[in-house]
Amino acid sequence: MTVDGFKLLADAHDYLLTAVRGVPAEAWGYPTPCTGWTVRQVLNHARLDQQALVMQITGVAPASDPFEPEDATAGDPVGELAAVLEATAAAWESRRGDESVPTPMGPMPADVGTAAAALDAGIHAWDIARATGQDLPLAEELAEGLEDIAARIVDFVRDSFGKYAPPLVVPEGASRAEKLLAFTGRDPRWSR
């Protein structure tokens, strides 16, 4: 399957925004599949990570460490996220077609970098939706598109930085989305 990283990124950004828009006011402090993190922290991590992935393109680092996300939100978390996603998509677009784009994981083609950003956004959209009881599953088409980039980077990130939990075993007949979630260390049937 040929994957368009830019389309994946747009789809994953839409998924993340939809999940964040659907968070009930009382749910920001709920636990998530990201062990030890609340919905607020996953949102902040996702936002900061999108910025971190383009900081070598933009020259602007995120305001804080994506892996130490604050357990607080601004007055308009949806608006703040939307602005970040628009800016990061524009940064990637400025490098469309480039075979070597600097990223925190090393140089990679722009199409691969956008897929990496899509993986992060898509997985955390699922975390937020699942934690807040929204009927927003990770779409099979998006999961299929993310399989290749997950195979390329998840083990590297897990082994180098310890940032993914160990992969989980899924039953035979599991969907693509369930397999992808399990590969990133998430229980596809996780519930609060």
Side-chain angles (χ1 to χ4, degrees), residues 140 168-179 182 188-189:
E140 286 292 289
L168 303 176
V169 176
V170 290
E172 192 167 325
S175 69
R176 287 188 122 110
E178 289 170 331
K179 289 176 185 174
R189 292 179 174 82

Side-chain angles (χ1 to χ4, degrees), residues 7-17 117-119 121-122 125 142 146:
K7 180 179 181 336
L8 275 180
L9 184 63
D11 291 347
H13 279 182
D14 286 347
Y15 182 34
L16 180 58
L17 267 173
L119 176 65
L142 181 56
L146 295 173

